Structures are given as structure tokens and as C-alpha cells.
Amino acid sequence: DAGVTQSPTHLIKTRGQQVTLRCSPKSGHDTVSWYQQALGQGPQFIFQYYEEEERQRGNFPDRFSGHQFPNYSSELNVNALLLGDSALYLCASSLVRVRSHEQYFGPGTRLTVT
Amino acid sequence: AQSVTQLGSHVSVSEGALVLLRCNYSSSVPPYLFWYVQYPNQGLQLLLKYTSAATLVKGINGFEAEFKKSETSFHLTKPSAHMSDAAEYFCAVSSVEDTGRRALTFGSGTRLQVQP
């Protein structure tokens, strides 16, 4: 049973650039959520996608955008990168019909902005 | 708005000792509650979850947690610590009220050290 996968593992970008991170959900899951985890902190919710639409959004600027594809995979895009965007970006998948909506996480993408 | 407080950013125990990691939540309605573990340079692994079926929840690796509504707590315990338990532990909540709002809200984490 394939778990949540993310690519790339690590990424180094320069301030002002744009980045795209990718996520494939756990087999059978239909919902993808993205979280940002700064060093030494708990994950912060960015947004959630279901049926190719953004269903819920956290307190993140419009520079953060996403997409969900028909096969349920997802992308996170960040424009005009700031030094403060350096973090571990975590993708989590879940099944909408499960009431508790427990989420399963991928290994993350470590983004460093210089 | 929901929130989670984890008391103690660092906890150190001896191998074989009881592990107790504290989590308190703030919510108008008892939420769904989760404990996750994060090993260095890895993602989060679900340890256990509370979904109102039972107040004492058993998870993987010998961990369990008890939901106490009167104390708004969901503390994580393990009777005997192993060296392999050293990691960061996160408590998280999600709302039961609005099925369209299922984001997890995390605590700030507790780093567990296990001394030989």
C-alpha cells in the first residue's frame, strides 16, 4: 500500500523565485492538505483540496497557491519567495468520507530560500 | 477557534520509565484529537486518534492516550520508554462541527529524550 509521496526531497531557491512542490496521496485517498513546518515549530495549515477545489485555507498569503489533479495528486506553488518561506512543507492525505478525517503525512520537502 | 497547548517543550526520561506527554485543547465542542510522532528529518506518523468512540485510546508502539472532557486534556502515555521513542511528538485537533473544515491545528510539540 503506497503511502504519501512528495517531491523533491530538498530544494534550494533564491529570494524572489518561484517553486512548485508535488504530492501523491496515499492509495484510495481523495483529499490533500498542505502544511508548513518552520524549524522547531508545529505544522501550520496552508490549504486543503478536494474534488480539485480549494476547500479550506489557512492564514497564508496569496503567494501560496495550489492545485489538485483528477488523479488526486496535488501541487503547491509559492511565488516571490521570501527568506521566511524556508521550512519543511508537508503534504497529508485523507478520505473525505471518514468522519474523523485523519490525515497521513508524507516525508516532506525541505525548502531553503537564500 | 480551536487551539492546542503542549506543556513542556522538552521531556527527558530514563529507559524503562513512564512517559507522560501533556496536551490540552481549547474548543467549544470536544474535537477529534490526534497524536503524531516525528523522527528527525521525517514526516509525521499517526500514533493514535480520539473520535469519541472510547475515552482510552491505544495506539502503535505501546502508546495510549486518555480523553478527559472535564480537564480538556488528551495526555499521551507509555508505561516503559525505549531508546527508539526519542522523537518529537505533536498533539493535534480538528473540528467535529463542520465537515468542510477539517484542517489540523497542531501544538508546538514536545521533544522526548530517552536516557540510557
Side-chain angles (χ1 to χ4, degrees):
Chain A
D1 181 16
V4 180
T5 60
Q6 292 186 243
S7 63
T9 305
H10 295 87
L11 205 52
I12 300 175
K13 289 288 188 178
T14 303
R15 190 171 46 182
Q17 285 187 318
Q18 178 265 343
V19 68
T20 297
L21 310 182
R22 296 176 176 82
C23 171
S24 291
K26 181 178 168 67
S27 178
H29 283 185
D30 55 15
T31 302
V32 173
S33 303
W34 287 92
Y35 294 81
Q36 180 195 66
Q37 186 179 21
L39 199 61
Q41 297 183 22
Q44 299 290 316
F45 174 73
I46 303 174
F47 42 55
Q48 184 176 89
Y49 277 83
Y50 170 64
E51 290 185 328
E52 303 179 47
E53 291 186 12
E54 183 182 293
R55 299 290 179 166
Q56 188 181 358
R57 188 178 184 92
N59 188 25
F60 279 81
D62 292 344
R63 297 187 298 109
F64 289 77
S65 63
H67 190 77
Q68 186 180 34
F69 298 94
N71 67 352
Y72 308 116
S73 67
S74 176
E75 288 182 349
L76 164 66
N77 300 291
V78 187
N79 295 322
L81 284 167
L82 303 174
L83 296 179
D85 295 332
S86 295
L88 181 68
Y89 287 85
L90 295 163
C91 170
S93 74
S94 53
L95 193 55
V96 73
R97 62 179 171 82
V98 174
R99 286 192 63 190
S100 66
H101 206 61
E102 61 206 58
Q103 297 181 28
Y104 294 85
F105 285 80
T109 294
R110 173 75 61 188
L111 173 64
T112 302
V113 182
T114 62
Chain B
Q2 301 170 124
S3 65
V4 177
T5 301
Q6 291 185 241
L7 293 175
S9 58
H10 289 82
V11 170
S12 182
V13 300
S14 299
E15 192 173 18
L18 171 71
V19 175
L20 171 61
L21 305 182
R22 300 177 185 275
C23 172
N24 288 86
Y25 68 90
S26 173
S27 175
S28 57
V29 175
Y32 296 126
L33 291 153
F34 308 87
W35 275 100
Y36 285 87
V37 61
Q38 185 175 37
Y39 297 100
N41 300 312
Q42 294 187 26
L44 279 70
Q45 181 182 11
L46 180 63
L47 275 178
L48 50 78
K49 62 182 180 182
Y50 167 75
T51 59
S52 76
T55 56
L56 182 62
V57 180
K58 294 187 183 299
I60 62 172
N61 302 338
F63 285 94
E64 63 181 38
E66 186 173 8
F67 172 72
K68 292 187 177 180
K69 183 179 177 180
S70 61
E71 299 178 7
T72 61
S73 69
F74 189 57
H75 301 332
L76 182 70
T77 61
K78 182 173 180 178
S80 176
H82 294 170
M83 296 296 291
S84 60
D85 294 328
E88 188 90 19
Y89 291 80
F90 292 97
C91 182
V93 300
S94 72
S95 172
V96 304
E97 294 181 283
D98 184 349
T99 57
R101 302 184 62 80
R102 295 181 170 180
L104 290 174
T105 301
F106 284 86
S108 55
T110 297
R111 181 165 299 277
L112 175 66
Q113 290 182 313
V114 182
Q115 308 291 341

